[in-house]
Amino acid sequence: MEIEEILDKLLNNEIDKAEAIKEIKGFEDLGFAKIDTNRKERCGQAEVVFCQGKTDQQVIKIINSLRENNPCIIGTRLEKDRYEKIKDYIPNPTYNEAGRILISGEAPSVDSNLKKVPILCAGTADIPVAEEAACICEIMGSPVCRIFDVGVAGLHRLLSFKDKFEDANVIIAVAGMEGALPSVVGGLVKCPVIGVPTSVGYGTNFKGLTTLFAMLNSCANGISVVNIDNGFSAGYIANQINRTNL
Amino acid sequence: MEIEEILDKLLNNEIDKAEAIKEIKGFEDLGFAKIDTNRKERCGQAEVVFCQGKTDQQVIKIINSLRENNPCIIGTRLEKDRYEKIKDYIPNPTYNEAGRILISGEAPSVDSNLKKVPILCAGTADIPVAEEAACICEIMGSPVCRIFDVGVAGLHRLLSFKDKFEDANVIIAVAGMEGALPSVVGGLVKCPVIGVPTSVGYGTNFKGLTTLFAMLNSCANGISVVNIDNGFSAGYIANQINRTNL
Amino acid sequence: MEIEEILDKLLNNEIDKAEAIKEIKGFEDLGFAKIDTNRKERCGQAEVVFCQGKTDQQVIKIINSLRENNPCIIGTRLEKDRYEKIKDYIPNPTYNEAGRILISGEAPSVDSNLKKVPILCAGTADIPVAEEAACICEIMGSPVCRIFDVGVAGLHRLLSFKDKFEDANVIIAVAGMEGALPSVVGGLVKCPVIGVPTSVGYGTNFKGLTTLFAMLNSCANGISVVNIDNGFSAGYIANQINRTNL
Amino acid sequence: MEIEEILDKLLNNEIDKAEAIKEIKGFEDLGFAKIDTNRKERCGQAEVVFCQGKTDQQVIKIINSLRENNPCIIGTRLEKDRYEKIKDYIPNPTYNEAGRILISGEAPSVDSNLKKVPILCAGTADIPVAEEAACICEIMGSPVCRIFDVGVAGLHRLLSFKDKFEDANVIIAVAGMEGALPSVVGGLVKCPVIGVPTSVGYGTNFKGLTTLFAMLNSCANGISVVNIDNGFSAGYIANQINRTNL
Amino acid sequence: MEIEEILDKLLNNEIDKAEAIKEIKGFEDLGFAKIDTNRKERCGQAEVVFCQGKTDQQVIKIINSLRENNPCIIGTRLEKDRYEKIKDYIPNPTYNEAGRILISGEAPSVDSNLKKVPILCAGTADIPVAEEAACICEIMGSPVCRIFDVGVAGLHRLLSFKDKFEDANVIIAVAGMEGALPSVVGGLVKCPVIGVPTSVGYGTNFKGLTTLFAMLNSCANGISVVNIDNGFSAGYIANQINRTNL
Amino acid sequence: MEIEEILDKLLNNEIDKAEAIKEIKGFEDLGFAKIDTNRKERCGQAEVVFCQGKTDQQVIKIINSLRENNPCIIGTRLEKDRYEKIKDYIPNPTYNEAGRILISGEAPSVDSNLKKVPILCAGTADIPVAEEAACICEIMGSPVCRIFDVGVAGLHRLLSFKDKFEDANVIIAVAGMEGALPSVVGGLVKCPVIGVPTSVGYGTNFKGLTTLFAMLNSCANGISVVNIDNGFSAGYIANQINRTNL
Amino acid sequence: MEIEEILDKLLNNEIDKAEAIKEIKGFEDLGFAKIDTNRKERCGQAEVVFCQGKTDQQVIKIINSLRENNPCIIGTRLEKDRYEKIKDYIPNPTYNEAGRILISGEAPSVDSNLKKVPILCAGTADIPVAEEAACICEIMGSPVCRIFDVGVAGLHRLLSFKDKFEDANVIIAVAGMEGALPSVVGGLVKCPVIGVPTSVGYGTNFKGLTTLFAMLNSCANGISVVNIDNGFSAGYIANQINRTNL
Amino acid sequence: MEIEEILDKLLNNEIDKAEAIKEIKGFEDLGFAKIDTNRKERCGQAEVVFCQGKTDQQVIKIINSLRENNPCIIGTRLEKDRYEKIKDYIPNPTYNEAGRILISGEAPSVDSNLKKVPILCAGTADIPVAEEAACICEIMGSPVCRIFDVGVAGLHRLLSFKDKFEDANVIIAVAGMEGALPSVVGGLVKCPVIGVPTSVGYGTNFKGLTTLFAMLNSCANGISVVNIDNGFSAGYIANQINRTNL
């Protein structure tokens, strides 16, 4: 509800003053965490729990609290051994190992009316990040098309899949090393390309920094980037774009 | 045409071998530049000329060559004094000073069926970059809504415009200094946000690098970024997203 | 005593030459360490022992030496397993696990006449640093108010606590990632804000460097910063400010 | 006014709905700038105009707009030649050349009941930044004590002024090069020290970055820092601290 | 002559002791410069004068001294206006403006028995660096083949020239921005590719540093790199490789 | 086959349409990897498998797939313990421990008609990288000459081997620390020198970055560099150069 | 005088209390500068004025004040045009253009009993820094021996001067680019070598940073370094070392 | 012997040609290492073995080879557990644990005619590096004076030792964090100061880089620096300086 609407309701005695104040707040306070209860209404998606850097107890409490108002909650960056330790305290848990993703509850099924999101990666070592992106897309309802190991050193491999990605609504291009994949892809398509630099490489790769900067300097148009190894973010945005105007 | 289609036509004698080869090439060679004549077909947009770093003669020749097959060509990063020097050698020139953009030919008019793209900037000094984004959006057909000087140090200013940006298809958030604007905006909306770091700041701002990294580390979801001061790229992508599924 | 005062006393035979020399020195020499015996007189606070990088034996000897002239000595950055190993050799030891702080002797109780210092942090993973700041404040006598997990991606959470921090003497704002919290808070209050960047984040966060620079570039006024993860320093300064003019 | 207070007034018909909405907004919109009309109420200080990066016309319009509700407005980082060009369009202008500060209107006089803020700088070349800090302190009402050129290579110079700074509420220590001044000062006093790194130096000084990092790594307690060359911010914060509990 | 050979001659009285010593020295001393008179014998190429950072008088003296023993001397990084000032004091001067190269004396003509060295560049703004490489190749006798503006955003342009570069002995690939050109080329050929990063770009390009690192991280084999904008070095090495085993 | 040749064959019914398409593709798709089956034809060398960052299963599958069309496949950066785990699943495996290189199948024997490639390294700690380069050279057919521990702090050691490297076709110079070896060597020879920076060093060596930059800034001519610790790449390129014009 | 000595004199009435205090202070206060009047007694050398970053008036006043107690004062980093403007206000001025050094008063003549300090530089462009070092050495009494343009790309040049530097007390080695000169020299001598990195270079030289780091990582022993382009400091230290034990 | 001397002897039949050649070589070749047998003659000190990065076998072989011509050989950076493993294969081994130094043979005793070298360090955590410097000094014959834990936050501690360091020939100042110690010491003495930055610190200390840069930017004269944590180098140089003119 907009402020004006709340004020109207207040003036019309439809809600009382306490309700008006609570409506503006929009979260529940657990002390060490403030559960963002109206995130879904505001952002179209319930809070996603970034598990890295939180203790097991914190993850358990936050997810349980969020589940009170949401049929399905996602936790990211959760290593398998941590999942094993906490799964008994999570309602309806499932786990995607490749994407290191915990799902509590029933994920909505993929919407087959949506276009497939092509998820390309340059090398075999980039697959974990690409998988994180793919899982998030699917959990949020967008079908995907995995096209892995199509780096630019063997250009013909990439080009042979052109029909699979050239009519997409949005493409995710995951790469480490020199990060040239988004540039080459961007020069072949009409839709936006989300570049995901990975920390795959050594020496002057600087854990993905070179790749990131290379992608930001792309000579092709239509390319935006997310943080290094951030498959989650790429998948999240790709799903947003894929649903535009629907 | 796809390769298979070309081969079919070749086998059916619809085209001859020379035509088949030329169709695969898809550019004209001026020596110092290769004019990408099928960019529009491939990418949905004719080649945009990045004028910075090219001589006046090179800009003139490239634009004239591109105009042979395109009703409208855009040149970016062209300072006003350079425009004055070359405009007589450009067909149908107009100039947008705020965005430093040259247009040769008739830009398609804004498509009023499209949603407005909100373009926010944090401070008055960020306006030139925001304007570049806005101009590109408009030239490519997307209407925009300019919301300038709404940085997070006076949060109420931003919040009062929430109704203008919360239902958009995509938002552009331009900011220098600590670059917090996209994070705050991203926490309020359902659509993707394109962060544009600017080189506004001093000391440890490092000409926008701090702002760029801050945006990449946003705690909000749905945020991707483009290169520092790259208003063009943000506008280009925003228009792509804004037309998705139409 | 000022030099002049010492000279007067010397001339008046109130002290002898040896005493005059010792008075200027003001420390005791243990070889591997020089115990700063007049730190409290000079700085208002006895020496705080930074335990990281010192051997267990060194920590034990330094604390015991300091305790000869001080009723309470603090050791920071002491991991729990180290505490377990050395506690039997420390007089009157207590340990704060969250803050990794050792206290030898009786800490002065919190002075209820002082205003509460609000200690805000952006995310759950920032809590350890925030706790270090909070413990130091309390040990030094300033009461605190913990407001955790109020990052800017869910702005309404922060805003709902405004009454708890807007009348403070000084605020500590702890954040990782893009570090926007101090900027937003600084725009809402009259008092100085101490920004504490944390090394929470990944990729281009660079272990807190991005956060640090973002805070230094804040568009809001009244914000100064301390080193990355340096909760101790923030708590120390906050207590200094909180007692100004009393 | 707090939200609750506004709602009460609304319910009691003391204000109407339009007034309630405007009260929450709290700014005036000039298009290229949003004038933050309730900054003073919120932050205790009217908006300060950072002139660098704004056009002359923008500075003139913003200051005139702010003056409608404020008896005195400050503009910082305004070079003298720019001041000469715009002063005729500014109400009641005065200019502080050393601090590059424009004052429109009558600055409140220094409050002699406040303690003096000692402003130390290491070398003669640091004086401009130290002056900016000093001017801001004075304009905001805190008296200052300038102690310039007391770098640590001639320690006796600094020590001879100890009586002038050791009883202060807060100290500003400005330094370039190796930035050791705040560390040495911090070891001598009870109050907080604000370190201001300057871009004075060459080679590996990196325009102040080395100085900044050195200050952040100070072995003394009680030191926080502001951005490189940011005398304004140091002065602003020093005045805030100087008035604490009054 | 090797040391052993000199000793033999000395023992056989073919040379005297003074000659033996001078033969080991191998340079002439002008005070501010030591003319490397046996560079050609040692390295196959007379000393090349790097003009940037030397005064006009120094350039004139060094070239004249070198000319005493060499029919042709090259000066690099000499801007046109400097050339105009010094040309009257240089024997047999000619100037290549595109490559900023001065030639004193008669350059040996191109050796048509050698294979052509393909010199590719990604964009029009990279041409000056590519030209420097091309000029040096030609002056040193290797014919070249210029293929400019074939960046990876329009891949078909590059691919259409494949027959011109795929059978070369060595390829020079000049690029700015994301520097993907050498990777793509390297994946298509058998010979080594010399990557030359240029400082063309902005924002996070860091004057070519991103491009350099991207090239060093190439996923293709056979790629080595030279310093940013160092067309001279690329041309020099390409000519060395082109003559191997001849 | 070139496109034109394929089209001719197609028109002449020598191949059918399916074969024409497959010929253009040139790889086999295993899902997680695209096996580049025509790399050898294109680049003169079958795909080399970079094992670091791939799982054991992935390495096994890729090598077995590549072996279908190649008599010998190389895997690099494979630690000994990993080799022990996978060797039973690799056809005809041998292992070079110093170079961490796996060979599957029969490596072609060294071609004694080729010149030896001198491989110099500055210190004993640089030997592993130098060995990687040497092994690759030998596997690809070029004989080598190892000259280790000839750093510039004992110049006479290097100079005494001059006859072993001064007539080579190409030299590999491996060094850590200040990386001066390629500069000194480059000043003594006619052929190109490939500098390989190693991560040997500490403090400001930054894991080889200082060494890399020093090599890029060499005052000698003829020096190109590869990524830090990249012995593979240096060996690969050296073999390419060594075979030029044969 | 030591404190004890002062106290003795005070007790013996040889000096009064005011004199005792003044003796401890040891400087004169001009407001914007504190003249360090006992620097010569403390450090063996009167204060040297770093002119860069000071106004003309400040330089004039400081030098005149220092001259009251010193027969000769040095100003460094003073460009020639500035010297022309201020020389009429300086007592007994002379100017060394190559070293950009102002001398006020009579410099002590070179002490011929001291050993010569060899000052080597790698290239002609390094001469200005080398000259600054040489001038400072001479002004402070140490004779020097200039050996310029002996970079490691033509090793024989350096080696032919070995007899001129191998018996020195200390050597200054000035170099830009890869900075290998100190390493090679350090491997040939018994005495300490002071490395002076210069900002000569381009691309990845980073204005001397690469050179600095290369020198710090020298594989030779006995090498310490000073800041980039800091010829003054090298000359100052060399003279200190050259006089040790005399 | 100089070349001329060798030639004379050769001509006079005092040595034969083989001896002449060997004399110029001056090392013994073990394959993986070239033993620099005339280092002591050239540099006044036999080769010091940097053990880090070498295998146990390599260390053993190199030391044994060096011992053939030297009564005492030093190995640095050897951890205690490694020493335990290799000591049985080293002739006459002793070990200094604090300095991580292995001595094979009889170290010459300290020369009591030399002045003591004061070795200062700022904090207790800097002691290991300071000890390495002290051990090297002593092994090479210079007596030392350890003054530890005299950082600038408690200035009086440092000042009370002034009589112990102010008449030295050379001072070593070891510090981490902000690295201010050399600046303060340099302002108090006549002799050169060798600054040794340590990697003690956290956050923006960057493992000693901030400390290094701070020392290079010292406002005091007479300060040169060595690499981070490089106590060996500081001790080596201090001993060189301490013996100057003796």
Side-chain angles (χ1 to χ4, degrees), chain B residues 153 177-178 183 187 204 213-214 217 219, chain C residues 153 177-178 183 187 204 214 217 219:
Chain B
M177 306 180 91
E178 88 276 58
S183 291
T204 55
F213 286 148
N217 281 280
C219 58
Chain C
M177 306 179 88
E178 87 275 60
S183 291
T204 55
N217 281 279
C219 56

Side-chain angles (χ1 to χ4, degrees), chain G residues 155 162 179 200 207 227:
Chain G
L155 212 55
K162 215 167 69 173
V200 170
K207 303 192 174 175
N227 206 352

Side-chain angles (χ1 to χ4, degrees), chain D:
Chain D
M1 289 190 287
E2 287 305 295
I3 292 178
E4 186 168 352
E5 189 185 353
I6 298 172
L7 300 188
D8 282 341
K9 289 194 175 175
L10 180 68
L11 291 172
N12 297 335
N13 291 318
E14 293 174 40
I15 58 174
D16 63 13
K17 215 177 68 183
E19 281 168 319
I21 290 170
K22 180 189 161 206
E23 195 69 28
I24 293 169
K25 272 201 169 179
F27 67 92
E28 194 168 356
D29 194 344
L30 301 183
F32 70 94
K34 314 277 177 277
I35 305 302
D36 190 347
T37 49
N38 87 338
R39 175 82 60 98
K40 185 154 193 177
E41 187 181 358
R42 237 166 53 238
C43 298
Q45 196 71 35
E47 199 172 356
V48 174
V49 183
F50 186 74
C51 299
Q52 191 178 301
K54 294 196 178 72
T55 67
D56 291 348
Q57 281 312 304
Q58 290 171 336
V59 170
I60 290 168
K61 283 183 191 162
I62 292 171
I63 289 179
N64 277 280
S65 168
L66 281 164
R67 279 301 306 280
E68 283 172 25
N69 300 300
N70 291 283
C72 172
I73 289 298
I74 303 168
T76 63
R77 297 281 167 113
L78 185 74
E79 302 306 323
K80 190 169 189 195
D81 56 340
R82 289 191 68 191
Y83 172 70
E84 295 298 337
K85 274 193 288 184
I86 70 173
K87 69 180 173 187
D88 291 346
Y89 308 95
I90 300 286
N92 295 63
T94 55
Y95 186 67
N96 180 309
E97 188 169 351
R100 290 178 295 167
I101 293 170
L102 160 76
I103 303 166
S104 168
E106 193 93 8
S109 56
V110 164
D111 181 347
S112 59
N113 291 325
L114 292 173
K115 279 196 178 181
K116 281 189 181 173
V117 176
I119 299 181
L120 287 69
C121 78
T124 299
D126 300 317
I127 291 180
V129 174
E131 267 300 331
E132 188 184 30
C135 292
I136 292 296
C137 265
E138 291 174 332
I139 291 169
M140 296 188 175
S142 282
V144 306
C145 168
R146 290 164 171 84
I147 307 174
F148 292 169
D149 194 28
V150 288
V152 302
L155 212 54
H156 57 299
R157 298 178 301 189
L158 174 67
L159 297 178
S160 76
F161 289 94
K162 216 167 67 174
D163 60 320
K164 291 222 180 326
F165 62 77
E166 73 185 344
D167 293 322
N169 276 338
V170 58
I171 297 170
I172 294 174
V174 180
M177 304 180 91
E178 88 277 57
L181 187 58
S183 290
V184 172
V185 170
L188 297 169
V189 300
K190 293 179 180 62
C191 71
V193 176
I194 303 171
V196 189
T198 69
S199 53
V200 171
Y202 59 101
T204 56
N205 184 274
F206 304 119
K207 303 193 173 173
L209 192 58
T210 287
T211 318
L212 167 69
F213 286 148
M215 288 183 180
L216 283 169
N217 280 279
S218 175
C219 57
N221 295 327
I223 296 169
S224 65
V225 305
V226 293
N227 207 351
I228 298 165
D229 290 334
N230 198 341
F232 164 74
S233 195
Y236 188 99
I237 297 167
N239 175 61
Q240 286 178 316
I241 295 175
N242 203 31
R243 292 172 178 282
T244 304
N245 289 313
L246 295 186

Side-chain angles (χ1 to χ4, degrees), chain B residues 119-122 127 130-131 134 146-150, chain D residues 31-34:
Chain B
I119 298 182
L120 287 68
C121 79
I127 290 181
E131 266 300 331
R146 290 164 171 85
I147 307 174
F148 293 169
D149 194 28
V150 288
Chain D
F32 70 94
K34 314 277 177 277

Side-chain angles (χ1 to χ4, degrees), chain F residues 14-74:
Chain F
E14 294 173 39
I15 58 174
D16 62 12
K17 216 177 69 184
E19 281 169 315
I21 290 170
K22 180 188 161 208
E23 196 68 29
I24 293 171
K25 271 201 168 180
F27 67 91
E28 195 168 357
D29 194 345
L30 301 182
F32 69 93
K34 313 277 176 275
I35 305 303
D36 190 349
T37 49
N38 86 338
R39 176 80 61 99
K40 186 156 193 177
E41 187 181 359
R42 236 165 54 237
C43 298
Q45 197 69 37
E47 200 171 355
V48 174
V49 184
F50 186 75
C51 299
Q52 191 177 301
K54 295 195 179 71
T55 68
D56 290 348
Q57 281 312 304
Q58 289 171 336
V59 170
I60 290 167
K61 283 183 191 161
I62 291 171
I63 288 178
N64 278 279
S65 169
L66 282 164
R67 278 302 305 280
E68 285 172 24
N69 300 299
N70 291 284
C72 173
I73 290 297
I74 303 168

Side-chain angles (χ1 to χ4, degrees), chain F residues 72-226:
Chain F
C72 173
I73 290 297
I74 303 168
T76 62
R77 299 281 168 112
L78 184 76
E79 302 306 323
K80 191 171 188 193
D81 56 340
R82 290 192 67 193
Y83 172 71
E84 296 298 337
K85 274 191 289 184
I86 71 173
K87 68 179 174 189
D88 292 345
Y89 310 95
I90 300 286
N92 297 64
T94 55
Y95 185 66
N96 180 308
E97 189 170 349
R100 290 177 297 167
I101 293 170
L102 159 75
I103 303 167
S104 168
E106 193 94 8
S109 56
V110 163
D111 181 348
S112 59
N113 292 323
L114 292 173
K115 280 195 177 180
K116 282 189 181 173
V117 175
I119 299 181
L120 288 68
C121 79
T124 300
D126 300 316
I127 290 180
V129 175
E131 267 301 331
E132 187 185 29
C135 292
I136 292 295
C137 266
E138 290 174 333
I139 292 170
M140 296 189 175
S142 283
V144 307
C145 168
R146 289 165 171 83
I147 307 174
F148 293 169
D149 194 27
V150 288
V152 301
L155 212 54
H156 56 300
R157 299 177 302 189
L158 174 68
L159 296 178
S160 77
F161 289 95
K162 216 168 68 175
D163 60 320
K164 290 223 182 325
F165 62 77
E166 72 187 344
D167 293 321
N169 276 339
V170 57
I171 296 168
I172 294 175
V174 181
M177 305 179 89
E178 86 276 58
L181 186 59
S183 291
V184 171
V185 170
L188 297 169
V189 299
K190 292 179 180 62
C191 71
V193 176
I194 302 171
V196 189
T198 68
S199 53
V200 170
Y202 59 102
T204 54
N205 183 275
F206 303 119
K207 304 192 173 175
L209 193 57
T210 287
T211 317
L212 167 69
F213 285 149
M215 289 183 180
L216 283 170
N217 281 279
S218 174
C219 57
N221 295 326
I223 296 169
S224 64
V225 305
V226 294

